[in-house]
Amino acid sequence: MRSRALPCHYLLSSHLASAIDAYAQNGRVIVLYLDMRLQFLYAALGASMAVVCEAASIYLVGDSTMASHSASEGIQGWGVPIASGYFTIPIVNRAKSGSSARSWIRDGFWYNTKQLLKSGDYVVIELGHNDGGGPTASTQRGSVVGEGSETVTVTLTNGTTEVVHTFNYYLGKMIDEAKAKGAIPIVSSATPNNPYENSATIVNAPSRFEGYAKNTAASKGVPFVSHYQACIKVYTALGKATTESYFPKDHTHTNSAGATQVAKAFIGGLKCSSARGILNGYFTFTSNALAAQC
């Protein structure tokens, strides 16, 4: 009997029925539930084949608003709370503080993450907080303004030259390379800074990177989550005092309580039409109970 590995996203949840139907065309199908989260083994008698699959994982690509932080920092990224109790498959938080789409490519963060991907994994790409300032900014992380094929060649502080591209180019590269590995990319827009800062009412003014992310997702045909607008809806409902309590250090980074709200907002954003229900089949009871934020 031959065997081969398959990603469990074909077998879990709503995907299970279609997988069984496909194999049923070749004969009677036996499904053995070995571990609902980790693996299934089933045999299609007509094909005389046993199939073992590994559980899909959700990889998070982002910056400090998503990354894990020590308690002494007083801030926390939303990638930490979302890893506990919201999905039935593992979360792998690869977020890097201070990173941008440009630095994810240039500094090897994406290359190293890409090596971990297997067919059927999901990759949430959320960047934008550190991508402004342009290609010549001293931070060495800004992208070229625009959404096309424009480039600017710069000399870095270490003396090397770099051809800098647009934000859309870097996102598109990650999307294409994730797809090449058989993974499923999901583009998410950057979270808002404190929207009540210096204002009695909420300010809904996304940066250009909101549109860049949305347009890249559309051009590549992948799901999109407006995490920015989902957070704005959550913060509007919570009000100024509660929302501002989530930003103890600066206007960008939340504390742990705020990170939990941002994580819930992401779940709410996944329930919007632009996300295409891509991860809804992996929601826990907790996630299913949360309202859509569209």
Side-chain angles (χ1 to χ4, degrees), residues 11 15 111 128 131 165 189 214 221 278:
L11 302 175
H15 301 286
Y111 176 84
D131 296 81
H165 299 266
S189 63
K214 182 178 181 179
I278 189 66

Side-chain angles (χ1 to χ4, degrees), residues 17 33 82 114 136 170 194 258 277:
Y33 293 86
I82 207 165
K114 183 176 62 174
T136 61
Y170 294 119
N194 176 7

Side-chain angles (χ1 to χ4, degrees), residues 120-235:
D121 284 337
Y122 298 86
V123 186
V124 177
I125 306 170
E126 181 180 297
L127 294 158
H129 278 290
N130 300 314
D131 296 81
T136 61
S138 60
T139 59
Q140 302 187 146
R141 59 192 185 189
S143 54
V144 175
V145 176
E147 301 185 66
S149 58
E150 305 94 329
T151 62
V152 173
T153 300
V154 300
T155 300
L156 304 178
T157 54
N158 63 7
T160 62
T161 59
E162 177 188 6
V163 178
V164 183
H165 299 266
T166 62
F167 181 83
N168 300 48
Y169 168 88
Y170 294 119
L171 251 62
K173 180 177 175 63
M174 287 187 268
I175 290 168
D176 290 344
E177 293 182 357
K179 286 181 175 180
K181 295 278 289 188
I184 301 99
I186 302 163
V187 174
S188 179
S189 63
T191 57
N193 291 335
N194 176 7
Y196 288 101
E197 186 177 36
N198 302 319
S199 177
T201 58
I202 197 163
V203 176
N204 185 354
S207 75
R208 68 180 185 273
F209 296 103
E210 169 84 9
Y212 288 175
K214 182 178 181 179
N215 293 342
T216 303
S219 68
K220 293 294 184 180
V222 301
F224 172 70
V225 174
S226 181
H227 203 179
Y228 181 96
Q229 293 297 347
C231 286
I232 289 293
K233 290 183 179 297
V234 169
Y235 292 151

Side-chain angles (χ1 to χ4, degrees), residues 16-293:
L16 180 58
S18 60
I20 291 175
D21 288 342
Y23 274 79
Q25 294 176 9
N26 293 322
R28 185 166 58 92
V29 177
I30 300 173
V31 180
L32 302 176
Y33 293 86
L34 299 181
D35 185 321
M36 197 61 188
R37 289 189 179 183
L38 296 179
Q39 69 174 3
F40 283 84
L41 173 66
Y42 69 94
L45 299 184
S48 186
M49 176 181 287
V51 179
V52 180
C53 69
E54 300 176 66
S57 296
I58 302 171
Y59 284 81
L60 303 182
V61 169
D63 53 37
S64 57
T65 61
M66 181 192 281
S68 177
H69 298 270
S70 65
S72 62
E73 293 179 77
I75 59 174
Q76 192 55 276
W78 67 269
V80 174
I82 207 165
S84 301
Y86 294 96
F87 292 101
T88 60
I89 56 177
I91 301 288
V92 183
N93 190 353
R94 301 284 294 175
K96 302 291 183 182
S97 293
S99 65
S100 66
R102 172 184 167 188
S103 68
W104 261 85
I105 299 298
R106 181 193 64 214
D107 297 340
F109 304 145
W110 171 245
Y111 176 84
N112 292 336
T113 298
K114 183 176 62 174
Q115 306 314 304
L116 303 175
L117 299 178
K118 63 183 182 295
S119 181
D121 284 337
Y122 298 86
V123 186
V124 177
I125 306 170
E126 181 180 297
L127 294 158
H129 278 290
N130 300 314
D131 296 81
T136 61
S138 60
T139 59
Q140 302 187 146
R141 59 192 185 189
S143 54
V144 175
V145 176
E147 301 185 66
S149 58
E150 305 94 329
T151 62
V152 173
T153 300
V154 300
T155 300
L156 304 178
T157 54
N158 63 7
T160 62
T161 59
E162 177 188 6
V163 178
V164 183
H165 299 266
T166 62
F167 181 83
N168 300 48
Y169 168 88
Y170 294 119
L171 251 62
K173 180 177 175 63
M174 287 187 268
I175 290 168
D176 290 344
E177 293 182 357
K179 286 181 175 180
K181 295 278 289 188
I184 301 99
I186 302 163
V187 174
S188 179
S189 63
T191 57
N193 291 335
N194 176 7
Y196 288 101
E197 186 177 36
N198 302 319
S199 177
T201 58
I202 197 163
V203 176
N204 185 354
S207 75
R208 68 180 185 273
F209 296 103
E210 169 84 9
Y212 288 175
K214 182 178 181 179
N215 293 342
T216 303
S219 68
K220 293 294 184 180
V222 301
F224 172 70
V225 174
S226 181
H227 203 179
Y228 181 96
Q229 293 297 347
C231 286
I232 289 293
K233 290 183 179 297
V234 169
Y235 292 151
T236 298
L238 291 170
K240 179 179 173 68
T242 299
T243 299
E244 293 205 306
S245 72
Y246 296 151
F247 295 88
K249 298 289 186 178
D250 54 49
H251 67 193
T252 301
H253 302 96
T254 60
N255 55 19
S256 292
T260 297
Q261 293 299 326
V262 175
K264 290 179 178 179
F266 180 73
I267 299 296
L270 281 171
K271 297 184 178 184
C272 302
S273 60
S274 63
R276 307 179 186 179
I278 189 66
L279 292 174
N280 296 15
Y282 301 114
F283 284 167
T284 62
F285 177 82
T286 298
S287 290
N288 281 322
L290 296 173
Q293 301 294 344

